[in-house]
Amino acid sequence: MRVARELIVGDPQRLGGYRLAGRLGAGGQGVVYEAYDAVGRRVAVKVLHGDAGSDPELRERFGREAAAARRVASFCTAGVLDADLDGPRPYIVSEYVEGPSLRGAGQIFGGDDLHALATAIAVALTALHDAGVVHRGLTPDKVFLGRDGPGVLGFGLSPGLGTALTATGLRPRAPSYTAPEVFTGGEAGTAADVFAWGGIVLYAASGEDPFAAGSLGAVMHRILSLDPDLSPLPRPLRPLAAAALAKDPRARPTARDLLIALIAAGQAAGQAVPRTDAPGSETVPLLRAGAEVAARVRTACDDPGLGALAESAFAALDPADRERVPAVFLRLVVIDADGQAVAREAGIPAGSEDVLHGFAGLVEHRGDRAYLVHQALPYAWPRLKEWIDANRARLVARERSARLLPPLLAVSAVFALVAAAIAAGRIV
């Protein structure tokens, strides 16, 4: 299962209309969070680090990344849904791609599944490159195996379709998939993404990183001087992978060339592949045809969202405990000044121990007090949202009473002191 790590001190609980549930990953400039919008849709939110957000150059680059990402046709990539680039913490919201990464799945691919996976990555690269975007970090960790087929995540922005390693100070995060020209000071352009495609297809068929060695220097030597063993690949894929892994970037096919060849190979093999008028096909029909092939990949996808986890826990309770669940959860939320449900710590009714046990991981308790682990749960779990909406007036009144009670008690205490003083004759 792909699990987001818990939020840490300093992480926001909410950004705009999104409730953050956990960390999916972090890098030098920002963090990617699992989050939920107001209707419970799970999304990914990429946020600049606090100090990075105050850097005008990084903000400007982040804005260009968002603009470039919006241009990418959302075939086998995560589409951009929203962005706020002017607030104190700039962020980009994109579709959440369910499922494990290619590396995390631990699956060896062959036959039609390998062909469909190779096609999916070629679709994503064609969409990116047509939009003027270079991934610059494509590895098996950036290919996700979702319910609707594979998708490529984590793409960045490359000004002018190319970034020199030596000029920008970038360092390859996964050396086995870094093109030779990048190691020698050349551009990490579209051809470098195609090189990574070849390496990833070979990884999918073998389970081994193609140029792996004990040190960065040894990896560089292999990439610059040796050709990998392509025997794990079926014959139709070998020439494409060999061309993609050519040392000279000018000898490599484009991502579009790869996609057209893969669709043609599927047609020649008798697969039910949508027809295109290759090689002169317009991009969108070509991407759509490739995406239909990609959707045939079948793999385990155990990546439930918070709502699915909560609903599963609710269904597992016996009927008597299910009846207690609303009373427990409605104690653990309040309605804030913006009218939004916010998690809080509160006492829980007696006899709720089995409910708390059933929701372990979603609700934590200490003695007779409990709290929601994730602030996003009222957004993510439709059943809880229905309970909150049905009891909104009571929750608002309860919160208003809770706010008024301390000052009323203070006033009552003053009156009591005054009355006592009058009774004692100290005040005439």
Side-chain angles (χ1 to χ4, degrees), residues 43-228:
V43 297
V45 180
K46 181 178 181 181
V47 186
L48 279 181
H49 284 313
D51 53 349
S54 62
D55 185 323
E57 183 178 346
L58 286 178
R59 270 182 173 267
E60 194 269 337
R61 174 180 167 78
F62 198 60
R64 287 189 287 117
E65 180 177 340
R70 286 181 184 277
R71 295 197 303 269
V72 177
S74 57
F75 292 96
C76 298
T77 62
V80 172
L81 304 173
D82 192 10
D84 180 355
L85 306 174
D86 301 319
R89 303 192 80 156
Y91 62 86
I92 300 172
V93 182
S94 62
E95 295 172 324
Y96 183 96
V97 178
E98 296 182 342
S101 70
L102 176 58
R103 190 182 299 280
Q107 179 178 345
I108 303 299
F109 287 78
D112 290 348
D113 277 350
L114 181 61
H115 180 269
L117 177 66
T119 302
I121 303 170
V123 167
L125 290 182
T126 301
L128 288 171
H129 295 173
D130 277 8
V133 178
V134 178
H135 192 292
R136 298 189 306 161
L138 188 60
T139 71
D141 304 279
K142 298 299 177 66
V143 177
F144 283 80
L145 306 173
R147 288 186 177 87
D148 299 325
V152 170
L153 303 181
F155 53 86
L157 177 69
S158 182
L161 293 181
T163 299
L165 177 70
T166 53
T168 64
L170 294 174
R171 291 294 180 267
R173 288 165 287 182
S176 287
Y177 302 90
T178 301
E181 64 270 18
V182 180
F183 283 123
T184 57
E187 289 189 337
T190 55
D193 282 350
V194 169
F195 183 90
W197 175 90
I200 292 171
V201 172
L202 183 53
Y203 172 86
S206 66
E208 301 289 337
D209 293 313
F211 299 97
S215 67
L216 177 59
V219 172
M220 291 174 63
H221 169 72
R222 291 188 177 191
I223 289 175
L224 292 169
S225 306
L226 304 177
D227 293 321

Side-chain angles (χ1 to χ4, degrees), residues 389-405:
D389 289 341
N391 292 272
R392 182 170 291 274
R394 183 164 64 85
L395 292 173
V396 170
R398 185 185 71 187
E399 177 62 10
R400 184 179 295 118
S401 297
R403 288 198 303 268
L404 291 175
L405 186 57

Side-chain angles (χ1 to χ4, degrees), residues 11 120 251 326:
D11 283 337

